[in-house]
């Protein structure tokens, strides 16, 4: 089973909520997100800072301020979110003895490449739609 960092999962939840509001043009406050997701506002601020640095979201100041997506949801992938939070050095986690692990590195690099390819094929709009993800999962399981 792939171990997804909690911060990445929270970032994806934030991106999904922002995408759901994208058509309204209204920013979403982290206070509202914290209430919806039951994740602390302070933790969400750290997640938002990373997403903002990656130019995936933009902050709006003032009364009624908050965050909006920096691009349309179909142009942001789950891989973009993963890289924003974990960096390009994200690797498949491997536990074990060092000599055995070194012998298996090529396998885990290939797995990581496939995971990132799959994440790169899923947009935030797909995450919102949900049903497209289920269809893709069925195709992947068939292989």
């Amino acid at each position: 089973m792939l171990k997804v960092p909690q911060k990445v999962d929270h970032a994806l939840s934030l991106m999904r909520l922002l995408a759901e509001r994208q058509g309204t043009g209204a920013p979403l406050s982290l206070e509202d997100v914290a209430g919806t997701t039951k994740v602390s506002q302070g933790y969400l601020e750290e997640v938002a800072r990373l997403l903002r640095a990656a130019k995936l979201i933009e902050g709006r100041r003032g009364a009624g301020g908050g965050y909006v997506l920096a691009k349309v949801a179909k142009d942001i992938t789950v891989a973009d979110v993963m890289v924003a939070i974990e960096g390009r050095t994200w690797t498949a986690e491997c536990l074990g003895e060092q000599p055995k692990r070194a012998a298996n590195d090529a396998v885990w690099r290939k797995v990581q490449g496939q995971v990132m390819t799959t994440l790169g094929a899923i947009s935030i709009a797909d995450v919102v739609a949900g049903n497209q993800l289920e269809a893709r999962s069925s195709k992947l399981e068939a292989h």
Side-chain angles (χ1 to χ4, degrees):
M1 181 79 142
L2 177 68
K3 184 176 180 180
V4 177
Q6 186 174 14
K7 194 176 280 189
V8 172
D9 191 52
H10 293 314
L12 188 58
S13 294
L14 174 59
M15 297 297 285
R16 179 182 45 78
L17 291 170
L18 292 174
E20 289 171 351
R21 291 178 68 112
Q22 192 167 36
T24 69
L28 182 62
S29 75
L30 292 183
E31 182 179 355
D32 289 341
V33 174
T36 301
T37 62
K38 307 298 184 226
V39 175
S40 78
Q41 187 172 340
Y43 190 79
L44 289 169
E45 287 170 1
E46 171 63 18
V47 169
R49 184 187 64 75
L50 294 169
L51 294 171
R52 203 172 61 240
K55 297 183 178 12
L56 298 179
I57 65 173
E58 296 174 347
R60 303 276 167 87
R61 294 184 183 258
Y67 290 93
V68 296
L69 293 180
K71 308 177 203 176
V72 291
K74 70 177 184 57
D75 293 337
I76 303 171
T77 68
V78 177
D80 295 331
V81 175
M82 174 71 85
V83 170
I85 301 303
E86 288 291 304
R88 294 207 178 274
T89 59
W90 175 78
T91 57
E93 186 173 310
C94 178
L95 302 174
E97 297 174 29
Q98 195 64 18
K100 290 180 184 176
R101 181 173 170 228
N104 296 330
D105 278 351
V107 172
W108 300 126
R109 279 193 302 275
K110 183 171 180 148
V111 168
Q112 178 185 354
Q114 291 297 316
V115 168
M116 292 306 285
T117 297
T118 300
L119 295 178
I122 302 169
S123 73
I124 299 302
D126 293 335
V127 173
V128 171
N131 58 352
Q132 294 176 7
L133 291 177
E134 291 175 22
R136 287 184 185 165
S137 292
S138 296
K139 288 178 187 175
L140 290 173
E141 289 171 5
H143 287 104

